[in-house]
Each structure stands twice: as C-alpha cells, then as structure tokens.
Amino acid sequence: MTIAVGRWARHNLFASPASSLLSVVSIPLTLYVGFLAARWVLFSAHWAVVADNLSVLLIGTFPADQVWRAWTAGAGLSALFGMTIGLMLLTRRWKGYAVAAALLAVAAAVSYGVRLQWAAGALGCLAVAFCACAATNRWSWIGRAMGIGWLVGVGAICALLAPAGVDRWGGLLLSVLVTVIAALLSLPVGIALAFARNSRFASLRLASTGYVELLRSVPLVCTVYWSWIIIPLVFPPQVHIPDLVRGVAGFVLFYAAYAAEYVRSGIQGVPQGQGEAAQSLGFSALDQSFIIVLPQALRAVIPALVGNVLDLFNNVPALFIIGLTDFLKAGQTVLANPQYSSAQYEVYVFMFAAYLVIGSLISYGARRIEAKMSRGVR
Amino acid sequence: MKPDQLSDRSAEFDPRGEGVVSQLKLAARNSGRFGDASARTPDAQRRLRRLARTRSAAIQALILISIVVAAVAFLGLIWAGLQRHGIGFSLDFLDQPAGFNLSEGLTIAKGAHGLTLVPFNSQQTYAQALLAGLYNTLVVTVISIALATVLGVMVGVGRMSGNWVVKNWAWAFVELVRNTPLLIQIIFWYFAVMLQLPSLADASLLHGALIASRQGVFIAWLAATPAAFRYAWFAGLAAALLVAAVFVRTRRWRHTALAAAAAILALGLAICGWPFSVDMPEASAFSVSGGAGFSPEMASLIIALGVNFASYVAEVVRGALQSIDKGQWEAAAALGLGHREALWVVVLPQAVRVIIPSLGNLYVTIAKSTSFAIAIGFPDMFSVYGTVANQTGRALEGLILVMVVYLLISLSISAVVNAYNRRVMKKGAR
Amino acid sequence: MSAMVQMHKLNKSYGSFHVLKDIDLHIQSGEVVVIIGASGSGKSTLIRCVNGLEHFGDGRLVVDGIELMPSQDGFGTSRKELAEIRREVGMVFQHFNLFPHKTVLENVMLAPVRVRRWPQARAEATARRLLERVGLRDHVDKYPSQLSGGQQQRVAIARSLAMEPRLMLFDEPTSALDPEMVGEVLEVMRELARSGMTMMIVTHEMGFAREVADRVIYMDHGKVLEQGQPGTIFDHPSHERTRAFLSRVLTH
C-alpha cells in the first residue's frame, strides 16, 4: 500500500526537478489556506446573518403571508427538475449518497440557526425532486412528455405566483424562474432563427443573420434595458407590463441569438446524407427539417445548450439595472441593512457557494449528457 | 408498355373505353409519380419549372414585404409611444453641458493644436462624457484581453500538466470561476480585495515600484527624457530593421538584421543617453504623483474580467490540446522528447490554429462584459449612459448610440481576429 | 553480441482482456525480427512495450541494458529511464505521425537538437545525409502535407534514424500506404537491415519478411506460438493455426 502511494507520488508529484519544486511549494500552501478557510467557516463566521435573512435571500420581497405560494412553486420546480434529471440518471446508483448529503446539509443548516420550517421545506422540496426522478425512471412516458411538461408546469407556477404581485417576486426563486422561463422561450426562437439562417430565401437569411450578429455584439444589460424602455412605448398606456416581463423579454431576445448559433452548428453537423435520404423517401422540405434534421441537430448540441442555460443563470443578476431583486441583489440588500453590514464575507460566501453548487450541478449534468450521447453514437 | 399489354388492361382502367389516350395518360401519371419528368411533354416541363420559380419568387417577395411591414409598424408604434409620453426623439442633448463629473476617463476636446485627449470635466458636453466612458471601456477591454489570454494559456497548459497538484489547482480554478456569476466575482474583487487593501500611507511594495492601496494601484512607469526625441531616430531605424527581419527568409540574414538593430540601439544609447527614466509613484497623504495608476474600480474590473475569462480561454486551450492526434504525442515521446518539450514544440503550435477562432468570440464577450462596471461605480460607457439618460431623459436615443458603438467594437475585434486567423492558416501550408 | 531486448514471462491485460501472455523473447544486436499474426494477436502491443508507449503488468523486460518496471497504472519506470531508452530506440508508426507544422528537414532535425543537444550545424548535416539516403533530397523544405504517403513514411524513418538508435521498431509501416508506395518504403527498410541495424518489424508483407528477416515470430491470441527461420515458418510451419493464418494471408 505504501509502495503504491510512493510510486504514485513519485510519478505525479516529483517526476522532474521543476515538478518537485512546484509540489514542495504548493502542497503546504494549499493545506495552510485550506486550514484557515475551514477554521473560518466552521468557527469564526457569523452564519446567523444568513440564517436570519434566509427569507430575503430566497424569495426577496415576496409578501410573507403568501409564502405558501412560494413553497408550492418551489416544490413544483423541484418536481420538474427531478423529472429532467430522471431522464438522464438512474436513481439506484446514487440514491444513498444523495439522501445522506441532503440530510447532512439540512442538519448543518439547522445547527447554524436556520429555522426549522425552512429546513423542513427544503427537505420537502428535495424529497419531491427525488420522487419525481424515481418516477421518471419507472414510467418512461413521463420522460417523453417532458417538453409539454415543462411548458405547462412553468405556466402553472407563474399563474400560482402572479396574484401575489409579479413585482414582488425576488431572491433565488426569481433567479431560477427567470432562468427557466427565458431558457424555455429562447430555444424555439433560436431554432426558428437557425432554420431561417439556412433557408433558401435570401431575405430570411439576411434578417436572421442580421438579428443574430446584432444581438451577439451588444451587452446583455443593453438588451434588457432596451426592452425595458421599448415595451411600454409599444403597448397602449392602459396595459401595464411588469418590469419582470420586460426584463425576461430582453433575456429571451439575447439568448435566442446564442441558441440560434448553437442550433445552427448542430444543423451543420448533421451529415448531408440525412437530408438526401429524406428527400428520396419523399419527405417535404418542412418535414425533412423538423422530423429528420432537427432532432439530430439538437441531440448533438444539448451539452452546449445546457451550458447556455448555465450562462443565463449566471447572468440573471443583470436584472438589477431595471430594479429587480434577484438572488445576488437580495444579498446586497441584506448587507445594506446597517445591522448586518459587517457580515460582508458571510453573505457573499454563502451566495458564492450557492451559485457554485447549482452551477457545478448543471455543468456536471451537461458532461453526463455528453458522455451518454457519445456512447449512443458509437 | 407493349401495345398488347395496353389493350389487355384497357378494360380494367378504361371503363368508358377511351382507349389508348387514357392509357397514355395513365402511363404518364404513373411515371410522374416516380419522378420521371421525361414522360411529360417539353412544354409541360417548362411550364412546371416556371410555376415553381414564380411560386418561390412570390414567397420571397411576401417574406420581404412582411419583414419590412413589421419593422415599419414596430417603429411606428414606438414613435407613437414617444409622442404619447411627450418625449419625442432628438439627439440635441449631445451638445448640452454635462454638469456632472466622472471619477476618471479621457475625452476628446479641441485644444490649442487641434484635437487632444484631456480628462473629462463637468463643463464639457454629454457627447464628451460618453466619449470618456468609451475611453474607459476600451482601456479595460484591451488590458483584460491581454490578462485573460496570458493567464488562460497558463491555466490551460496547467490542466494538462503531469504534476497532480498543478493539474487539480487548474481544474479547481476553472470550475470555481466558470460556475459562478461574473457579477459576483467583480463585486468580490472590488469589495473583498481592493477596498481591503491598506491606505496610501502604508501600502508601498517592491521598494516603491508598486503601490497597492485602497485608493488604487500604482506602478512605476517610464517617462520620456529630453533625450527621447533624438533617440527616436535610432529607434525608428532599429524598428525598420526588425520589420525587415520578420520578412527575410534566410536564417543568416535574419540574425544579421537582428544584430544590426541591437547595435543601432546601443549606439543610440551611447550618443544620446537614456531616452526613458523610471517614474516612481510618490505617495502623499491623499494622492499619488508620478507613475501610472489604476483606480480601485478599474483595477478590480480588469482583474475580475481577466481572471473570469482566463477560465474560458483555459478550456479552449485544453480542448484544442486534447483534439491533437495522440500519434503526435507518441511520436514525440518515441523520439525522446520530454513532456514539456513535446507540449511546447509539437502539440501547442498545432493547437493554436484551433484556438484562435474561439478566442475571437471570447474577446467580444469581454468587451461586452465591461458593461457590468455599473455595479461598482466604474464610469464605463454604459454607466455614463445611465447617468446621461437619467439627467436628460433621452434614454432611447442614448441607448441606440451606445448599442451602435458596442456593435462597432465587436465587429472590429472580430475583424482583427479573423485577419490573424487567416494569416495563421496560410502560414501552416496545410 | 549482446542481447538488445530480453523479455521473460511478459504479461499485459486491458482490464479483463489478457492481451500478452507469458512472452519470452530474446533479440540479439544486429538481428532483424519480423512479427506476424492476426489483428488482435498483440503484436503491436508487444513492440510498443519495448519503448514504453505501453506498460506491461507482469514479467521482466530489459531493453538495451535498462530494465523497464511492470505497472498496472503507468507508474512503473521512471521518466529518466524511459527517456534513456527512447534515445536509443527509434519507432516508425503506421500513420507516420510527422509534425505537420514543421518542414521535412525540421522534422528530422528536431530530436537530435533538443534531446541529444547537438549543435544546429551537425544536426542539419545529419538530417540532409539521411534524407538523401532515403531518397528525399529534393523535398527537404516541403511540409508533410505536400508529400505522398510513401514519402512521408520515409521521412519518418529518417527522423528516427537521426537519433542514431541502436534498435528500430516498425509498427505496420506500410499498412496505411497505397500499394504502389509500399515498395519504396520496403526498399529503405531492406537497406537498413543490410547495414546491420537491429530491427523489430510488425508487418503483413510476407515476401519482405522472407527476404529480410533473420527470425520470424508468429503471434496468436497474445502468445508466441512459433518462431524460427523465415524459410521454416513460411514453408514448414509446425502449428495448425500458423498454417491456417499463412494460408489465409498468402492466397491474396
């Protein structure tokens, strides 16, 4: 055992003089930094700040008496995510780890002062996600209905949360909702743009190319701000379009351009022979595009599209320029309160960790999808 | 179909007994289904083709008209909305005095000898304010691109390193930076790093060559001495020789040119004296004179953008390195080349051709991401626009201007990268 | 005459697939050994073990006096010793693996300059001499993509020879070539054998093997089934499977 470790060390850490020097310098440094960080996280940090303000961080300025709506929405989203994950993963293998990790996280949170009802709610959402995942594994028709499922589910969640006032949505719930809605809406627009780019009509090609190039050259904050200004001008004054809707419109316009580029590269990746085979079988051009080419193109670029969704999620904070309180802004709002303004590091580390966990999960998901796809192709 | 076959089947398919004509029609119809257009008469063929072309042209025209109509309707609605709100649309505000100050930024003004770059002040116009913002955006973009590229290549190569610690540090860096929002990183570098630096009084490092303080980062820079003017002639000659060296084919002539350039520079030093002197930053209680300085906002924005996009560059580099055929690594190993030599001499040069197109996209994204500066109060172009829009109410006009400028910046970056890409592709003679 | 390569009970597995089984082999300096066998018999894996491109799980392997250590995970032999071996052992690959971003001359000069630390002038002179020897004097400033497959393979041979190795390994050097170019590469290899180089060749070119080999080894399912003089193996093989293989290969 020690011999194996020694050989591993010799090969991986001390293979050459330069490598040995790097190892000798960086290993103690890493351990020291790690020790300091662990000591801060476990003992010195005032996590109570986070625990006390959890409602602001998670749902922003949502009215307190209607929190049940937020919880239901959270459960709904958990179910949808669970079903999507169930499409890709089998629960059997990691069931134990997931349950253990969830319980551990909740226990840690409670020990740092999170109120029991929040902990219970979080556990409930995780349980819903888990069951949805298992259900999808068991009954495959759920997986097939996912497309409609997402649209209907998100629509229902929006309808559920709307009566509380769309302007009051905030926090992590808002971040996730904006990501999901913008991703769902930008994909069809992106697909339409990609096909328009390859169409045989020059005017469509020109319009599509112009749109995509324009939107990819302009910052997201510009697009969001632009749609925030333009939309009320276009609609008659009696119709009040909430800020959030205008902001989401800006996101959709922006990310549709990126989705269009990914889908276009996917279309180009579908071998020429596919289209020719479809033609000789008598498919019309439209059928050929949507039944033969599009599914293959999408399969090829799903990892890139998932990366696009992650990018979307990470850029939701841009909504601060039109005055919306997403997860990041909520954290800054907490710090603006003089009572908590000294807890800068705690709040930012918490948000950073939350984003890291979510982002890593999404990246991991994209990698798993990619691995699964390439296995099928071979 | 043979004539007897025709007559055999005539009873079946021709109940009214129209005979051969209907048989021919049937034959024509059957062949037509299998795409055999030669069964039709030439006139029919021509008519069908013309019909298809007309249909296509009609659809084309319809699409064009609907796009134009939609665009006009959209603009009309906007115009109506502007009128309704009593705003109208005009760019007159650009000539009005700004009335606010910017913490930094140079703008173009009419000086004694024509146009010069001067710091912005509140008497200047809104247009000049926006130009100052543009200057800030461009400075941050260029430095961030350089930082991201250098750091990204280092991290990307580190990902492929043989040393386990280096490899995993690089992996952790990329995962940490890519999975979290850029905005939180900008805020981190500003609030958690820059503003936590010591104040000016006790912030001197490297014997005064670097001052990293809460009020900004200042480094020793070069200042021209009086000798610089005369030295310029020597420098120009040496530069011409260096350019010639790039184009000369033979190694011996190239070495000669380089040696001559070095000799001329040395001669110039002997005759004129040093053209540059080191300008050390001198810190007084509240300000710094001398040296080159970055405000804490600019410094944190540059570092945040550089570090964030370094992770994307690192992934591009890693992907390119992994896409190189394994046989290249094996051939290098079989020849006895070590891992590092194989990487830098054999694999990385080939990977560069794959890397450059992706870099162009990343650079454009860096330029666009400078717009997040508004979150930390750095006066980049978008942030200045925000102030202008607030004061003048000309939100739409200003935004269109700003978007056009961003479009120009993006197109320029893409054009430069594409030109370099073409040159790299040609050189490889592949 | 010293033993250039000594293998004793060499074993290698890819997971559950046992690709090399108890290989015993001794190759003397100056010998030309040709290894034949069906695909999947382990012949390429065998010669790739000799210069450390593959690691073996069990057994003894000594190349040019340096012992390679077995390992399941690649941590066996130290980098220093691998580098020493690879300086003295040259390899020619099936797909040439020339460096596409360097000219033919630069390809050949690269390793002597960087690994043996020769001055540029000596490396260049050697490179030109070798390229002349393989018949490519007029192509020294071309890039690999401008050459035919046969020419590229000859450059690859010159590139390995520039390191002045004591042993040359050939991994199916003509399998990726169009038939009309096979001859020019075989001619170079023939001349090399005549000049006394120790060579281990994996090939399907039976006529070439008969002509050039001092010893022919037939591998089957990871074992050395039969070895001997080319005349014996090709005309009077003792094993049934050797006969079956030869009849399959030699009929077309």
Side-chain angles (χ1 to χ4, degrees):
Chain A
M1 173 59 190
T2 37
I3 301 178
V5 169
R7 283 222 315 237
W8 178 91
R10 196 162 59 102
H11 189 93
N12 279 320
L13 297 174
F14 304 109
S16 73
S19 184
S20 309
L21 185 65
L22 274 172
S23 303
V24 163
V25 166
S26 52
I27 292 178
L29 197 65
T30 313
L31 289 173
Y32 180 60
V33 168
F35 168 70
L36 284 180
R39 198 178 62 175
W40 180 81
V41 166
L42 291 173
F43 301 115
S44 347
H46 303 293
W47 292 115
V49 177
V50 172
D52 289 340
N53 290 299
L54 210 52
S55 78
V56 175
L57 287 169
L58 290 182
I59 55 173
T61 46
F62 208 79
D65 55 334
Q66 313 218 19
V67 164
W68 63 270
R69 290 184 190 267
W71 278 118
T72 320
L77 282 171
S78 307
L80 287 170
F81 280 120
M83 283 192 258
T84 314
I85 294 175
L87 273 179
M88 301 180 301
L89 297 176
L90 292 170
T91 40
R92 276 195 302 270
R93 281 178 59 196
W94 49 272
K95 177 159 57 176
Y97 300 123
V99 171
L103 286 174
L104 199 64
V106 170
V110 170
S111 74
Y112 276 107
V114 174
R115 289 202 298 272
L116 264 173
Q117 60 210 75
W118 286 95
L123 262 182
C125 284
L126 285 171
V128 168
F130 190 76
C131 293
C133 196
T136 317
N137 286 151
R138 174 85 171 69
W139 296 295
S140 59
W141 59 264
I142 300 181
R144 277 197 293 272
M146 274 321 296
I148 302 291
W150 269 105
L151 287 171
V152 168
V154 171
I157 290 174
C158 290
L160 179 67
L161 291 172
V166 175
D167 293 325
R168 305 286 297 273
W169 296 1
L172 184 60
L173 182 62
L174 178 69
S175 290
V176 173
L177 268 178
V178 168
T179 308
V180 164
I181 297 174
L184 282 174
L185 290 177
S186 64
L187 186 60
V189 178
I191 293 176
L193 283 169
F195 277 112
R197 187 104 176 235
N198 286 337
S199 116
R200 63 182 196 273
F201 298 118
S203 47
L204 266 184
R205 281 203 304 271
L206 205 63
S208 165
T209 313
Y211 174 88
V212 169
E213 290 306 308
L214 178 66
L215 265 292
R216 284 193 345 142
S217 308
V218 166
L220 176 62
V221 288
C222 275
T223 316
V224 168
Y225 203 60
W226 181 86
S227 54
W228 185 79
I229 293 176
I230 292 280
I231 288 183
L233 292 177
V234 169
F235 284 90
Q238 304 90 327
V239 179
H240 168 69
I241 315 272
D243 286 344
L244 180 60
V245 173
R246 297 185 238 164
V248 169
F251 268 84
V252 170
L253 288 175
F254 186 79
Y255 279 98
Y258 280 89
E261 281 297 280
Y262 290 128
V263 174
R264 186 171 76 103
S265 78
I267 293 175
Q268 283 176 341
V270 175
Q272 187 84 306
Q274 295 287 313
E276 291 169 355
Q279 271 176 350
S280 51
L281 282 170
F283 275 100
S284 73
L286 213 65
D287 277 345
Q288 186 185 318
S289 296
F290 283 106
I291 300 179
I292 307 287
V293 174
L294 183 61
Q296 293 190 48
L298 280 183
R299 279 186 86 228
V301 296
I302 280 186
L305 286 175
V306 173
N308 202 28
V309 170
L310 174 60
D311 199 43
L312 220 178
F313 178 68
N314 280 337
N315 277 320
V316 167
L319 286 173
F320 81 89
I321 52 162
I322 55 176
L324 291 169
T325 308
D326 79 302
F327 186 47
L328 186 57
K329 193 79 171 77
Q332 289 178 307
T333 315
V334 167
L335 288 173
N337 184 338
Q339 189 185 359
Y340 300 117
S341 60
S342 61
Q344 296 238 3
Y345 282 112
E346 282 84 349
V347 173
Y348 279 124
V349 166
F350 171 72
M351 288 197 289
F352 189 80
Y355 273 115
L356 185 61
V357 164
I358 298 176
S360 303
L361 284 173
I362 298 180
S363 297
Y364 177 69
R367 275 197 296 266
R368 280 295 302 258
I369 298 176
E370 198 166 3
K372 205 158 165 237
M373 300 253 149
S374 51
R375 238 183 292 142
V377 166
R378 216 162 318 141
Chain B
M1 274 170 136
K2 293 209 215 70
D4 45 303
Q5 277 180 309
L6 277 172
S7 47
D8 270 349
R9 303 174 78 168
S10 62
E12 246 183 282
F13 295 120
D14 185 19
R16 285 204 295 202
E18 281 162 275
V20 179
V21 174
S22 67
Q23 295 302 326
L24 281 175
K25 276 199 202 152
L26 176 66
R29 199 165 10 113
N30 282 342
S31 334
R33 198 186 307 152
F34 295 133
D36 183 12
S38 56
R40 305 206 183 90
T41 61
D43 269 337
Q45 283 181 50
R46 241 179 286 132
R47 228 177 309 134
L48 278 167
R49 271 204 294 274
R50 217 177 315 140
L51 201 64
R53 268 206 299 273
T54 324
R55 197 174 74 131
S56 178
I59 297 182
Q60 178 103 271
L62 196 65
I63 291 176
L64 195 59
I65 292 174
S66 25
I67 292 178
V68 169
V69 164
V72 168
F74 187 63
L75 289 171
L77 275 174
I78 295 179
W79 181 253
L82 285 171
Q83 300 294 69
R84 207 174 37 235
H85 289 250
I87 303 179
F89 189 98
S90 90
L91 290 170
D92 294 337
F93 71 98
L94 287 174
D95 286 325
Q96 292 162 4
F100 64 90
N101 259 317
L102 292 176
S103 61
E104 55 185 308
L106 302 180
T107 183
I108 300 178
K110 282 202 174 44
H113 309 285
L115 298 172
T116 54
L117 282 175
V118 297
F120 178 78
N121 65 67
S122 54
Q123 272 96 32
Q124 289 170 326
T125 64
Y126 285 117
Q128 286 169 312
L130 287 171
L131 280 174
L134 177 60
Y135 171 83
N136 286 328
T137 299
L138 290 176
V139 167
V140 169
T141 305
V142 167
I143 302 179
S144 302
I145 286 179
L147 180 62
T149 310
V150 167
L151 194 58
V153 169
M154 278 167 46
V155 174
V157 167
R159 285 269 254 152
M160 313 278 291
S161 162
N163 184 308
W164 186 85
V165 178
V166 169
K167 190 155 58 162
N168 281 305
W169 262 105
W171 172 84
F173 170 81
V174 170
E175 288 298 302
L176 219 67
V177 169
R178 262 194 340 161
N179 291 328
T180 49
L182 174 60
L183 200 50
I184 210 177
Q185 290 171 35
I186 294 177
I187 290 175
F188 164 76
W189 285 106
Y190 185 59
F191 285 107
V193 177
M194 277 293 142
L195 293 186
Q196 305 302 323
L197 289 174
S199 57
L200 269 178
D202 18 63
S204 189
L205 301 167
L206 295 178
H207 302 288
L210 169 71
I211 298 182
S213 77
R214 198 174 299 161
Q215 276 88 339
V217 175
F218 304 91
I219 57 176
W221 201 238
L222 302 169
T225 61
F229 196 66
R230 276 178 293 157
Y231 194 76
W233 294 103
F234 291 92
L237 195 55
L241 275 173
L242 282 172
V243 168
V246 166
F247 287 108
V248 149
R249 287 213 147 261
T250 338
R251 183 168 299 151
R252 208 178 320 140
W253 281 113
R254 209 178 306 161
H255 288 168
T256 320
L258 286 172
I264 290 181
L265 285 175
L267 190 64
L269 278 177
I271 294 183
C272 310
W274 282 98
F276 295 113
S277 65
V278 175
D279 196 8
M280 301 284 262
E282 297 284 333
S284 63
F286 297 110
S287 64
V288 173
S289 59
F294 299 93
S295 68
E297 289 82 15
M298 185 187 265
S300 44
L301 190 62
I302 289 175
I303 296 177
L305 285 174
V307 164
N308 184 295
F309 285 96
S311 71
Y312 291 96
V313 172
E315 282 300 282
V316 169
V317 168
R318 184 182 70 99
L321 285 175
Q322 283 181 334
S323 75
I324 301 296
D325 186 26
K326 280 269 171 281
Q328 293 290 308
W329 289 99
E330 288 183 352
L335 284 171
L337 287 166
H339 180 86
R340 194 172 310 131
E341 274 182 319
L343 181 66
W344 287 100
V345 178
V346 174
V347 179
L348 201 52
Q350 298 183 47
V352 165
R353 306 160 115 258
V354 180
I355 292 173
I356 288 184
S358 309
L359 282 188
N361 273 331
L362 281 176
Y363 291 167
V364 169
T365 314
I366 292 179
K368 295 193 307 178
S369 302
T370 56
S371 56
F372 282 123
I374 195 171
I376 56 172
F378 176 71
D380 81 305
M381 188 166 60
F382 188 75
S383 168
V384 171
Y385 155 76
T387 317
V388 170
N390 265 330
Q391 290 200 339
T392 63
R394 294 269 160 236
L396 190 58
E397 295 88 331
L399 190 58
I400 292 177
L401 268 179
V402 163
M403 280 165 75
V404 166
V405 174
Y406 274 118
L407 184 61
L408 287 173
I409 295 176
S410 306
L411 289 177
S412 318
I413 294 179
S414 300
V416 167
V417 173
N418 282 337
Y420 187 66
N421 194 28
R422 270 196 300 272
R423 199 175 141 253
V424 165
M425 299 292 269
K426 240 187 290 168
K427 215 166 64 143
R430 196 142 342 149
Chain C
M1 281 220 293
S2 52
M4 200 66 210
V5 177
Q6 297 171 60
M7 293 184 200
H8 183 65
K9 290 215 174 323
L10 198 71
N11 275 287
K12 178 176 172 64
S13 300
Y14 282 118
S16 53
F17 176 44
H18 199 171
V19 62
L20 292 176
K21 302 174 184 158
D22 284 337
I23 309 276
D24 279 314
L25 194 59
H26 289 253
I27 299 184
Q28 305 290 350
S29 173
E31 248 196 299
V32 175
V33 172
V34 172
I35 307 176
I36 61 175
S39 52
S41 57
K43 19 189 236 298
S44 283
T45 315
L46 185 67
I47 68 165
R48 284 159 68 96
C49 285
V50 173
N51 75 343
L53 285 180
E54 302 274 358
H55 35 263
F56 57 97
D58 205 5
R60 260 195 104 216
L61 175 58
V62 182
V63 175
D64 196 22
I66 304 173
E67 172 141 14
L68 285 122
M69 305 305 296
S71 76
Q72 283 299 353
D73 37 15
F75 302 144
T77 324
S78 78
R79 277 203 211 174
K80 200 162 79 80
E81 292 182 332
L82 271 180
E84 264 188 73
I85 291 175
R86 287 167 180 170
R87 254 174 282 169
E88 305 302 330
V89 176
M91 182 151 191
V92 175
F93 298 86
Q94 183 177 356
H95 295 286
F96 339 131
N97 289 336
L98 290 180
F99 304 136
H101 57 300
K102 298 208 173 285
T103 64
V104 162
L105 188 65
E106 287 166 352
N107 261 279
V108 178
M109 280 171 60
L110 186 71
V113 167
R114 289 196 172 263
V115 181
R116 289 207 185 277
R117 306 236 183 275
W118 285 0
Q120 290 268 12
R122 180 180 172 196
E124 187 168 337
T126 310
R128 284 186 189 275
R129 179 172 46 86
L130 285 167
L131 285 167
E132 165 119 37
R133 183 173 163 191
V134 301
L136 290 170
R137 186 181 51 169
D138 300 323
H139 302 272
V140 291
D141 285 321
K142 292 206 181 141
Y143 283 93
S145 59
Q146 296 167 297
L147 302 178
S148 74
Q151 290 168 326
Q152 288 188 50
Q153 193 64 299
R154 285 187 274 155
V155 173
I157 297 176
R159 181 175 66 171
S160 302
L161 287 176
M163 290 289 285
E164 295 181 350
R166 313 247 310 255
L167 166 67
M168 283 283 282
L169 306 171
F170 292 83
D171 186 2
E172 304 206 29
T174 55
S175 297
L177 296 176
D178 288 335
E180 65 264 20
M181 293 188 243
V182 168
E184 63 196 49
V185 174
L186 292 181
E187 181 54 46
V188 170
M189 290 165 70
R190 207 172 279 131
E191 188 259 324
L192 198 59
R194 269 197 294 262
S195 71
M197 172 69 76
T198 320
M199 296 161 76
M200 278 178 82
I201 310 173
V202 172
T203 186
H204 295 298
E205 299 287 331
M206 303 301 166
F208 173 77
R210 184 195 283 271
E211 191 193 327
V212 148
D214 293 323
R215 193 174 9 146
V216 172
I217 294 176
Y218 171 67
M219 279 189 72
D220 181 273
H221 288 98
K223 281 213 226 296
V224 171
L225 205 60
E226 222 179 307
Q227 56 177 307
Q229 301 247 337
T232 322
I233 298 286
F234 286 124
D235 297 330
H236 313 291
S238 22
H239 273 106
E240 174 58 45
R241 286 217 283 273
T242 321
R243 265 196 291 269
F245 171 76
L246 286 173
S247 69
R248 270 203 317 271
V249 171
L250 291 172
T251 37
H252 62 81

